[in-house]
């Protein structure tokens, strides 16, 4: 990498904490179940990276989910249904992240190396501020903390809009955006990085793209894991990723 890097802005779930991005997936599946509609993990994961209200709206608008909603309620889902699901989702997510905010292995050492090089450490998330109070507290107890945290409710629109990345760069006092690595585990996060003018780094193995816990990944046959990683990389390259790594633990390999 020839550019002079001055900062890194990282996502949270699936990128620095919660291997496999399990907390939001489980919360989405459960909140729809509580409302009488069974969605799959794959459907829950599809819009991952967006603000959580936008995520709810995206899932409820899926053709299969619309059909299930119609069967259950004899009508199309409405904006009021989106709001009701979102209102029930937030407290459920708070309970879920309390048990799924472990720092991903290798993150603490990688961030320490970034700091040793004088980089500032920013972060963005599709979570709201009150949810992140739980996540950051858990992460800090395990040795990981960002200099600043920008949440979806801090900006007019979440990913793929660039606003969270701009707000993070402003808070860090770093520009131009081309001097910042922006690390995310979702295509929409990579799009937001490119929209902001940053260097987009996609995370495959530890994140939403594969969506398995560390132990589940370890149990995969090597060929199966490699196929999943290659599919994920193609997806992220199509979204505009400049670099693709398996986890933030590999971030120092990109450093000059």
């Amino acid at each position: 990498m020839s550019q002079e890097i001055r900062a890194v802005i990282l996502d949270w779930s699936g990128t620095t904490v919660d291997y496999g991005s399990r907390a939001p997936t489980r919360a989405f599946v459960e909140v729809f179940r509580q409302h009488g509609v069974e969605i799959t993990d794959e459907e829950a994961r599809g819009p991952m990276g967006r603000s959580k209200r936008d995520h709810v709206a995206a899932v409820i608008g899926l053709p299969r989910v619309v059909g299930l909603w119609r069967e259950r309620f004899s009508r199309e889902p409405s904006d009021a249904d989106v709001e009701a699901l979102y209102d029930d989702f937030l407290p459920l997510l708070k309970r879920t992240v309390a048990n799924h905010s472990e720092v991903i292995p290798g993150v603490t050492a990688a961030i320490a190396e970034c700091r040793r090089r004088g980089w500032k450490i920013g972060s963005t998330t599709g979570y709201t501020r009150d949810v992140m109070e739980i996540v950051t507290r858990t992460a800090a107890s395990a040795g990981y903390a960002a200099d600043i945290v920008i949440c979806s409710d801090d900006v007019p629109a979440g990913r793929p809009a660039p606003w969270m990345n701009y707000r993070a760069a402003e808070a860090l006092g770093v520009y131009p955006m081309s001097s910042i690595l922006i690390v995310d585990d979702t295509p929409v996060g990579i799009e937001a990085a490119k929209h902001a003018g940053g260097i987009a780094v996609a995370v495959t193995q530890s994140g939403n793209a594969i969506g398995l816990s560390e132990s589940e990944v370890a149990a995969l046959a090597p060929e199966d894991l490699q196929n999943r990683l290659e599919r994920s990389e193609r997806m992220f390259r199509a979204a505009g990723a400049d670099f693709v790594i398996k986890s933030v633990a590999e971030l120092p390999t990109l450093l000059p």
Side-chain angles (χ1 to χ4, degrees), residues 4 6-7 169 173-181 196-198:
E4 180 185 356
R6 299 183 58 212
V174 174
Y175 66 92
M177 295 301 294
S178 59
S179 68
I180 302 174
L181 295 178

Side-chain angles (χ1 to χ4, degrees), residues 177-201:
M177 295 301 294
S178 59
S179 68
I180 302 174
L181 295 178
I182 301 177
V183 188
D184 203 281
D185 69 316
T186 63
V188 73
I190 296 303
E191 292 172 16
K194 300 304 291 184
H195 291 161
I199 302 167
V201 180

Side-chain angles (χ1 to χ4, degrees), residues 8 24 27 44 66 90 97 104 108 113 130 132 136-138 140 176 180 198 201 205 214:
V8 57
V66 170
L90 286 179
V97 298
I104 292 169
T108 302
E113 176 60 19
D130 54 348
M132 281 307 297
T136 55
R137 183 168 60 248
T138 302
I180 302 174
V201 180
Q205 183 170 305
E214 187 179 11

Side-chain angles (χ1 to χ4, degrees), residues 37-56:
V37 172
E38 300 285 344
I39 66 170
T40 66
D41 281 7
E42 184 178 0
E43 288 165 337
R45 288 184 180 279
M48 203 69 77
R50 297 180 181 272
S51 70
K52 297 315 169 199
R53 190 197 180 284
D54 289 348
H55 192 140
V56 169

Side-chain angles (χ1 to χ4, degrees), residues 24-30 32-33 37-48 55 59 62 64-65 68 208:
T25 303
R26 293 182 179 185
F28 277 115
V29 169
E30 177 61 18
F32 272 86
R33 187 196 66 77
V37 172
E38 300 285 344
I39 66 170
T40 66
D41 281 7
E42 184 178 0
E43 288 165 337
R45 288 184 180 279
M48 203 69 77
H55 192 140
V59 172
L62 292 171
R64 194 187 81 87
V65 178
L68 293 174
N208 185 69

Side-chain angles (χ1 to χ4, degrees), residues 10 12 15-16 22 34 47 51 66 73 96 102 139 146-147 159 169 175 192 215 217 228 233:
L10 306 106
W12 283 83
T15 300
T16 53
R22 292 168 293 160
Q34 290 179 1
S51 70
V66 170
F73 299 106
T96 306
E102 305 91 345
D147 298 333
R159 305 170 182 132
Y175 66 92
S215 61
V217 168
R228 293 175 188 236
E233 178 162 359

